[in-house]
Coordinates of all heavy atoms in Angstrom, one line a residue:
M116 N -13.2 -14.7 -5.3 CA -14.5 -14.0 -5.5 C -14.3 -12.6 -4.8 O -13.5 -12.4 -4.0 CB -15.6 -14.7 -4.8 CG -15.6 -14.8 -3.3 SD -16.8 -15.9 -2.5 CE -18.2 -14.7 -2.5
R117 N -15.1 -11.7 -5.3 CA -15.1 -10.3 -4.8 C -16.2 -10.1 -3.7 O -17.3 -10.5 -3.9 CB -15.2 -9.3 -5.9 CG -13.9 -9.2 -6.7 CD -14.2 -8.3 -7.9 NE -14.5 -6.9 -7.5 CZ -15.0 -6.0 -8.4 NH1 -15.2 -6.3 -9.6 NH2 -15.3 -4.8 -8.0
V118 N -15.8 -9.5 -2.6 CA -16.7 -9.2 -1.5 C -16.6 -7.8 -1.1 O -15.6 -7.2 -1.2 CB -16.4 -10.2 -0.3 CG1 -16.8 -11.6 -0.6 CG2 -15.0 -10.1 0.0
K119 N -17.7 -7.3 -0.6 CA -17.7 -5.9 -0.2 C -17.9 -5.8 1.4 O -18.8 -6.5 1.9 CB -18.9 -5.2 -0.9 CG -18.8 -3.7 -0.9 CD -19.8 -3.2 -1.8 CE -20.1 -1.7 -1.6 NZ -21.3 -1.3 -2.2
C120 N -17.1 -5.0 2.0 CA -17.2 -4.9 3.4 C -18.5 -4.2 3.8 O -18.8 -3.1 3.2 CB -16.0 -4.1 4.0 SG -16.2 -3.7 5.7
V121 N -19.2 -4.7 4.7 CA -20.5 -4.1 5.1 C -20.4 -2.8 5.8 O -21.3 -2.0 5.8 CB -21.3 -5.2 6.0 CG1 -20.6 -5.5 7.3 CG2 -22.7 -4.7 6.2
L122 N -19.2 -2.6 6.4 CA -19.0 -1.4 7.2 C -18.4 -0.2 6.5 O -18.8 0.9 6.6 CB -18.2 -1.7 8.5 CG -18.9 -2.6 9.5 CD1 -18.0 -2.9 10.7 CD2 -20.2 -2.0 10.0
C123 N -17.4 -0.5 5.7 CA -16.7 0.6 5.0 C -16.8 0.6 3.5 O -16.2 1.4 2.8 CB -15.2 0.7 5.5 SG -14.2 -0.7 4.9
D124 N -17.5 -0.4 3.0 CA -17.7 -0.5 1.5 C -16.5 -0.8 0.7 O -16.4 -0.7 -0.5 CB -18.4 0.7 1.0 CG -19.9 0.7 1.3 OD1 -20.4 -0.3 1.8 OD2 -20.5 1.8 1.1
K125 N -15.4 -1.3 1.4 CA -14.2 -1.6 0.7 C -14.4 -3.0 0.0 O -15.0 -3.9 0.6 CB -13.1 -1.7 1.8 CG -11.7 -2.1 1.2 CD -10.7 -2.4 2.3 CE -9.5 -3.1 1.7 NZ -8.8 -3.9 2.6
V126 N -14.0 -3.1 -1.2 CA -14.1 -4.3 -1.9 C -12.8 -5.1 -1.8 O -11.7 -4.6 -2.1 CB -14.5 -4.0 -3.4 CG1 -14.5 -5.4 -4.2 CG2 -15.8 -3.3 -3.5
D127 N -13.0 -6.3 -1.4 CA -11.8 -7.2 -1.2 C -12.0 -8.4 -2.1 O -13.0 -8.8 -2.5 CB -11.8 -7.7 0.3 CG -10.9 -6.9 1.1 OD1 -10.2 -6.0 0.6 OD2 -11.0 -7.1 2.4
K128 N -10.8 -9.0 -2.4 CA -10.9 -10.2 -3.1 C -10.4 -11.3 -2.2 O -9.4 -11.2 -1.5 CB -9.9 -10.1 -4.3 CG -10.6 -10.2 -5.7 CD -9.6 -10.1 -6.8 CE -9.7 -11.3 -7.7 NZ -8.7 -11.3 -8.8
I129 N -11.2 -12.4 -2.1 CA -10.8 -13.5 -1.3 C -10.7 -14.8 -2.1 O -11.4 -14.9 -3.1 CB -11.8 -13.7 -0.1 CG1 -13.2 -13.9 -0.6 CG2 -11.7 -12.5 0.8 CD1 -14.1 -14.3 0.6
D130 N -9.9 -15.7 -1.6 CA -9.8 -17.0 -2.3 C -11.1 -17.7 -2.3 O -11.8 -17.8 -1.3 CB -8.7 -17.8 -1.6 CG -7.3 -17.3 -1.9 OD1 -7.2 -16.6 -3.0 OD2 -6.4 -17.5 -1.1
D131 N -11.5 -18.3 -3.4 CA -12.7 -19.1 -3.5 C -12.8 -20.3 -2.6 O -13.8 -20.7 -2.3 CB -12.9 -19.5 -5.0 CG -13.5 -18.4 -5.8 OD1 -13.9 -17.4 -5.3 OD2 -13.4 -18.5 -7.1
H132 N -11.6 -20.8 -2.3 CA -11.6 -22.1 -1.7 C -11.6 -22.0 -0.1 O -11.7 -23.0 0.5 CB -10.4 -23.0 -2.1 CG -9.1 -22.3 -1.8 ND1 -8.5 -21.4 -2.7 CD2 -8.3 -22.4 -0.7 CE1 -7.3 -21.0 -2.1 NE2 -7.2 -21.6 -1.0
I133 N -11.4 -20.8 0.4 CA -11.3 -20.7 1.8 C -12.7 -20.8 2.4 O -13.7 -20.5 1.7 CB -10.6 -19.4 2.3 CG1 -11.4 -18.2 1.9 CG2 -9.2 -19.4 1.9 CD1 -10.9 -16.9 2.6
L134 N -12.8 -21.1 3.7 CA -14.1 -21.4 4.4 C -15.0 -20.1 4.3 O -16.2 -20.2 4.1 CB -13.8 -21.8 5.8 CG -15.0 -22.2 6.6 CD1 -15.6 -23.5 6.2 CD2 -14.7 -22.3 8.1
L135 N -14.4 -19.0 4.4 CA -15.1 -17.7 4.4 C -15.9 -17.6 3.1 O -17.0 -17.2 3.1 CB -14.2 -16.5 4.7 CG -14.8 -15.2 4.6 CD1 -15.8 -15.0 5.8 CD2 -13.8 -14.1 4.8
A136 N -15.2 -17.9 2.0 CA -15.8 -17.7 0.7 C -17.0 -18.7 0.6 O -18.0 -18.3 0.0 CB -14.8 -18.0 -0.4
K137 N -16.8 -19.9 1.0 CA -17.9 -20.9 1.0 C -19.1 -20.4 1.8 O -20.2 -20.5 1.4 CB -17.4 -22.2 1.5 CG -16.5 -23.0 0.5 CD -16.0 -24.3 1.1 CE -14.9 -24.8 0.3 NZ -14.1 -25.7 1.1
R138 N -18.8 -19.8 2.9 CA -19.8 -19.4 3.8 C -20.6 -18.2 3.2 O -21.8 -18.1 3.2 CB -19.2 -18.9 5.2 CG -20.0 -19.5 6.4 CD -19.5 -18.9 7.6 NE -18.2 -19.5 8.1 CZ -17.4 -18.9 8.9 NH1 -17.6 -17.7 9.3 NH2 -16.3 -19.5 9.3
L139 N -19.8 -17.3 2.5 CA -20.4 -16.1 1.9 C -21.3 -16.5 0.7 O -22.2 -15.8 0.4 CB -19.3 -15.1 1.5 CG -18.7 -14.3 2.7 CD1 -17.5 -13.5 2.2 CD2 -19.7 -13.4 3.3
R140 N -20.9 -17.5 0.1 CA -21.6 -18.0 -1.1 C -23.0 -18.5 -0.7 O -24.0 -18.4 -1.4 CB -20.9 -19.0 -1.9 CG -21.0 -18.8 -3.4 CD -20.1 -19.8 -4.1 NE -18.7 -19.5 -3.9 CZ -17.7 -20.4 -3.8 NH1 -18.0 -21.7 -3.9 NH2 -16.5 -20.1 -3.6
N141 N -23.1 -19.0 0.5 CA -24.4 -19.6 1.0 C -25.2 -18.5 1.7 O -26.4 -18.7 1.9 CB -24.1 -20.7 1.9 CG -23.5 -21.9 1.2 OD1 -23.8 -22.1 0.0 ND2 -22.7 -22.7 1.9
R142 N -24.6 -17.4 2.0 CA -25.3 -16.4 2.7 C -25.3 -15.1 1.9 O -24.4 -14.9 1.0 CB -24.7 -16.1 4.1 CG -24.9 -17.2 5.1 CD -23.8 -17.2 6.1 NE -24.1 -18.3 7.1 CZ -24.6 -18.1 8.3 NH1 -25.0 -16.9 8.6 NH2 -24.8 -19.1 9.1
P143 N -26.1 -14.1 2.3 CA -26.0 -12.8 1.6 C -24.6 -12.2 1.7 O -23.9 -12.3 2.8 CB -27.0 -11.9 2.4 CG -27.9 -12.9 3.0 CD -27.2 -14.1 3.3
I144 N -24.2 -11.5 0.7 CA -22.8 -11.0 0.6 C -22.5 -10.0 1.6 O -21.4 -9.7 2.0 CB -22.5 -10.5 -0.8 CG1 -21.0 -10.4 -1.1 CG2 -23.2 -9.2 -1.1 CD1 -20.6 -10.4 -2.5
H145 N -23.5 -9.3 2.1 CA -23.3 -8.2 3.1 C -22.9 -8.7 4.4 O -22.8 -7.9 5.3 CB -24.5 -7.3 3.1 CG -25.8 -8.0 3.5 ND1 -26.0 -8.4 4.8 CD2 -26.9 -8.3 2.8 CE1 -27.2 -9.0 4.8 NE2 -27.8 -9.0 3.6
T146 N -22.7 -10.0 4.6 CA -22.1 -10.4 5.9 C -20.6 -10.3 6.0 O -20.0 -10.6 7.0 CB -22.5 -11.9 6.2 OG1 -22.1 -12.7 5.1 CG2 -24.0 -12.0 6.4
Y147 N -20.0 -9.9 4.9 CA -18.6 -9.8 4.9 C -18.1 -8.5 5.6 O -18.6 -7.5 5.5 CB -18.0 -9.8 3.4 CG -16.5 -9.6 3.4 CD1 -15.7 -10.7 3.7 CD2 -16.0 -8.4 3.1 CE1 -14.3 -10.5 3.7 CE2 -14.6 -8.2 3.0 CZ -13.8 -9.2 3.3 OH -12.5 -9.1 3.3
M148 N -17.0 -8.7 6.3 CA -16.3 -7.6 7.0 C -14.9 -7.6 6.6 O -14.2 -8.7 6.7 CB -16.5 -7.7 8.5 CG -17.3 -6.6 9.1 SD -17.2 -6.7 10.9 CE -18.4 -8.0 11.2
C149 N -14.3 -6.5 6.2 CA -12.9 -6.5 5.9 C -12.0 -6.6 7.1 O -12.5 -6.5 8.3 CB -12.5 -5.2 5.1 SG -12.4 -3.8 6.1
E150 N -10.8 -6.9 6.9 CA -9.9 -7.2 8.1 C -9.8 -6.0 9.1 O -9.9 -6.2 10.3 CB -8.5 -7.5 7.6 CG -7.8 -8.7 8.2 CD -6.5 -9.0 7.6 OE1 -6.5 -9.4 6.4 OE2 -5.5 -8.7 8.2
V151 N -9.8 -4.8 8.5 CA -9.7 -3.6 9.4 C -10.9 -3.5 10.3 O -10.8 -3.3 11.5 CB -9.5 -2.3 8.5 CG1 -9.4 -1.1 9.3 CG2 -8.3 -2.5 7.6
C152 N -12.1 -3.6 9.6 CA -13.3 -3.5 10.4 C -13.4 -4.7 11.4 O -13.9 -4.5 12.5 CB -14.5 -3.4 9.5 SG -14.5 -1.9 8.5
H153 N -13.0 -5.8 10.9 CA -13.1 -7.0 11.8 C -12.3 -6.8 13.0 O -12.7 -7.1 14.1 CB -12.7 -8.2 11.0 CG -12.9 -9.5 11.7 ND1 -12.0 -10.0 12.6 CD2 -14.0 -10.3 11.7 CE1 -12.5 -11.2 13.1 NE2 -13.7 -11.4 12.6
D154 N -11.1 -6.3 12.8 CA -10.1 -6.1 13.9 C -10.7 -5.1 14.9 O -10.6 -5.2 16.1 CB -8.8 -5.6 13.4 CG -7.9 -6.8 12.9 OD1 -8.4 -7.9 13.0 OD2 -6.9 -6.5 12.4
R155 N -11.3 -4.0 14.3 CA -11.8 -2.9 15.1 C -12.9 -3.5 16.0 O -13.0 -3.1 17.2 CB -12.3 -1.8 14.2 CG -12.4 -0.5 14.9 CD -12.6 0.6 13.9 NE -13.6 0.3 12.9 CZ -13.7 0.9 11.7 NH1 -12.9 1.9 11.4 NH2 -14.6 0.6 10.8
I156 N -13.8 -4.3 15.4 CA -14.9 -4.8 16.2 C -14.4 -5.8 17.2 O -14.9 -5.8 18.3 CB -15.9 -5.4 15.2 CG1 -16.7 -4.2 14.6 CG2 -16.9 -6.3 16.0 CD1 -17.8 -4.6 13.7
A157 N -13.4 -6.6 16.8 CA -12.9 -7.6 17.7 C -12.3 -6.9 18.9 O -12.4 -7.4 20.1 CB -11.9 -8.5 17.0
T158 N -11.5 -5.8 18.7 CA -10.9 -5.1 19.8 C -12.0 -4.5 20.7 O -11.9 -4.6 21.9 CB -10.1 -3.9 19.2 OG1 -9.2 -4.4 18.2 CG2 -9.3 -3.3 20.3
R159 N -13.0 -4.0 20.1 CA -14.1 -3.4 20.9 C -14.8 -4.5 21.7 O -15.1 -4.3 22.9 CB -15.1 -2.7 20.0 CG -15.5 -1.4 20.6 CD -16.7 -0.8 19.8 NE -16.2 -0.3 18.5 CZ -17.0 -0.1 17.4 NH1 -18.3 -0.3 17.5 NH2 -16.6 0.4 16.3
T160 N -15.0 -5.6 21.1 CA -15.7 -6.7 21.8 C -14.8 -7.2 23.0 O -15.3 -7.5 24.1 CB -16.0 -7.9 20.9 OG1 -16.7 -7.3 19.7 CG2 -16.8 -8.9 21.5
N161 N -13.5 -7.3 22.7 CA -12.6 -7.7 23.8 C -12.6 -6.8 25.0 O -12.6 -7.2 26.1 CB -11.2 -7.9 23.3 CG -11.1 -9.2 22.4 OD1 -11.9 -10.1 22.6 ND2 -10.1 -9.2 21.6
E162 N -12.6 -5.5 24.6 CA -12.6 -4.5 25.7 C -13.9 -4.6 26.5 O -13.8 -4.5 27.7 CB -12.6 -3.1 25.0 CG -11.2 -2.6 24.7 CD -11.1 -1.4 23.9 OE1 -12.2 -0.7 23.7 OE2 -10.1 -1.0 23.4
R163 N -15.0 -4.8 25.8 CA -16.3 -4.9 26.5 C -16.3 -6.2 27.4 O -16.8 -6.2 28.5 CB -17.4 -5.0 25.5 CG -18.6 -4.3 26.0 CD -19.7 -4.4 25.0 NE -19.5 -3.6 23.8 CZ -20.0 -3.8 22.6 NH1 -20.9 -4.8 22.4 NH2 -19.7 -3.1 21.6
K164 N -15.6 -7.2 26.9 CA -15.6 -8.5 27.6 C -14.8 -8.3 28.9 O -15.1 -8.8 29.9 CB -14.9 -9.6 26.7 CG -15.8 -10.8 26.6 CD -15.1 -11.9 25.8 CE -15.4 -11.8 24.3 NZ -14.6 -12.7 23.5
E165 N -13.6 -7.6 28.7 CA -12.8 -7.3 29.9 C -13.6 -6.5 31.0 O -13.5 -6.7 32.2 CB -11.5 -6.6 29.5 CG -10.5 -7.5 29.0 CD -9.3 -6.8 28.3 OE1 -9.1 -5.6 28.7 OE2 -8.7 -7.4 27.4
L166 N -14.3 -5.5 30.5 CA -15.1 -4.7 31.4 C -16.2 -5.6 32.1 O -16.5 -5.4 33.3 CB -15.8 -3.6 30.6 CG -15.0 -2.4 30.2 CD1 -15.8 -1.4 29.4 CD2 -14.4 -1.6 31.4
G167 N -16.7 -6.5 31.3 CA -17.8 -7.4 31.8 C -17.3 -8.3 32.9 O -18.1 -8.7 33.8
T168 N -16.0 -8.7 32.9 CA -15.5 -9.6 33.9 C -15.1 -8.9 35.2 O -14.9 -9.6 36.2 CB -14.2 -10.3 33.3 OG1 -13.3 -9.4 32.9 CG2 -14.6 -11.3 32.2
L169 N -15.1 -7.6 35.1 CA -14.8 -6.9 36.4 C -16.0 -7.0 37.3 O -17.1 -7.0 36.9 CB -14.5 -5.4 36.1 CG -13.2 -5.1 35.3 CD1 -13.2 -3.6 35.0 CD2 -12.0 -5.4 36.2
P170 N -15.7 -7.2 38.6 CA -16.8 -7.3 39.5 C -17.6 -6.0 39.6 O -17.0 -4.9 39.7 CB -16.1 -7.6 40.8 CG -14.7 -7.1 40.7 CD -14.4 -7.3 39.2
T171 N -18.9 -6.1 39.4 CA -19.7 -5.0 39.5 C -20.2 -4.8 40.9 O -20.9 -5.6 41.5 CB -20.9 -5.1 38.5 OG1 -21.5 -6.4 38.7 CG2 -20.5 -4.9 37.1
E172 N -19.7 -3.7 41.5 CA -20.1 -3.5 42.9 C -21.2 -2.4 42.9 O -20.9 -1.2 42.6 CB -18.9 -3.0 43.7 CG -18.0 -4.2 44.0 CD -16.8 -3.7 44.8 OE1 -16.9 -2.9 45.7 OE2 -15.7 -4.2 44.5
H173 N -22.3 -2.8 43.4 CA -23.4 -1.8 43.5 C -23.4 -1.3 44.9 O -23.6 -2.0 45.9 CB -24.7 -2.5 43.2 CG -24.9 -2.8 41.7 ND1 -25.2 -1.8 40.8 CD2 -24.8 -4.0 41.1 CE1 -25.3 -2.4 39.6 NE2 -25.1 -3.7 39.8
T174 N -23.1 0.0 45.0 CA -23.1 0.6 46.3 C -24.5 1.0 46.6 O -25.1 1.9 46.0 CB -22.1 1.8 46.4 OG1 -22.3 2.6 45.2 CG2 -20.7 1.3 46.5
N175 N -25.0 0.4 47.6 CA -26.4 0.6 47.9 C -26.5 1.8 49.0 O -26.0 1.6 50.1 CB -27.1 -0.6 48.5 CG -28.6 -0.5 48.5 OD1 -29.1 0.6 48.4 ND2 -29.2 -1.6 48.7
E176 N -27.1 2.9 48.5 CA -27.1 4.0 49.4 C -28.1 3.8 50.6 O -27.9 4.5 51.6 CB -27.5 5.3 48.6 CG -26.4 5.8 47.7 CD -26.8 6.9 46.8 OE1 -27.8 7.5 47.1 OE2 -26.1 7.1 45.8
K177 N -29.0 2.9 50.4 CA -30.0 2.7 51.5 C -29.6 1.6 52.4 O -30.4 1.2 53.2 CB -31.4 2.4 50.8 CG -32.0 3.6 50.2 CD -33.4 3.3 49.7 CE -34.0 4.6 49.1 NZ -35.3 4.4 48.5
E178 N -28.3 1.2 52.3 CA -27.8 0.1 53.2 C -28.0 0.5 54.7 O -28.3 -0.4 55.5 CB -26.4 -0.1 52.8 CG -26.0 -1.6 53.1 CD -24.6 -1.9 52.5 OE1 -23.8 -0.9 52.3 OE2 -24.3 -3.0 52.3
S179 N -27.8 1.7 55.0 CA -27.9 2.2 56.4 C -29.3 2.0 57.0 O -29.4 1.9 58.2 CB -27.4 3.6 56.5 OG -28.2 4.4 55.6
D180 N -30.2 1.8 56.0 CA -31.6 1.7 56.5 C -31.8 0.4 57.3 O -32.7 0.4 58.1 CB -32.6 1.7 55.3 CG -32.8 3.1 54.8 OD1 -32.3 4.0 55.4 OD2 -33.5 3.2 53.8
W181 N -31.0 -0.6 56.9 CA -31.2 -1.8 57.7 C -30.5 -2.0 59.0 O -30.7 -3.0 59.6 CB -31.1 -3.1 57.0 CG -30.6 -3.4 55.6 CD1 -30.8 -2.7 54.5 CD2 -29.9 -4.5 55.3 NE1 -30.3 -3.4 53.5 CE2 -29.7 -4.5 54.0 CE3 -29.3 -5.5 56.1 CZ2 -29.0 -5.5 53.4 CZ3 -28.6 -6.5 55.5 CH2 -28.5 -6.5 54.1
V182 N -29.8 -1.0 59.4 CA -29.1 -1.1 60.7 C -30.1 -0.8 61.8 O -30.9 0.1 61.7 CB -27.9 -0.1 60.7 CG1 -27.2 -0.2 62.1 CG2 -27.0 -0.4 59.6
Ligands
LIG938 ZN1 -14.3 -2.6 6.3

């Protein structure tokens, strides 16, 4: 079946029997993302995840108030 990438409008052909094709047939076609866009988003998500795992240290400027 032919699918269109939601992000870059690239038209791809995917095998009818793969899980993705079955999923797309049951849902609107615009949920498809081509490999390039998928990778780009996956990379960005991973980067964000790595940033999220870093300890967030809030330096409280008013800390001296409680001394
Ligand atoms: Zn794309």
Side-chain angles (χ1 to χ4, degrees):
M116 70 186 277
R117 283 173 62 194
V118 286
K119 198 170 161 193
C120 173
V121 64
L122 291 179
C123 67
D124 283 351
K125 182 189 165 203
V126 175
D127 266 350
K128 245 180 124 179
I129 59 171
D130 287 336
D131 281 346
H132 62 270
I133 63 168
L134 186 70
L135 177 65
K137 284 178 195 158
R138 227 187 281 158
L139 285 172
R140 220 173 292 145
N141 292 329
R142 287 156 180 261
I144 199 159
H145 56 74
T146 55
Y147 176 76
M148 244 188 280
C149 75
E150 224 175 292
V151 179
C152 292
H153 187 272
D154 281 357
R155 201 165 46 196
I156 284 182
T158 309
R159 221 186 289 160
T160 307
N161 284 340
E162 278 171 8
R163 216 179 291 157
K164 235 184 266 171
E165 275 167 32
L166 285 174
T168 54
L169 289 172
T171 45
E172 284 179 46
H173 288 285
T174 43
N175 195 346
E176 286 172 18
K177 289 186 176 174
E178 209 169 21
S179 55
D180 282 359
W181 3 321
V182 179

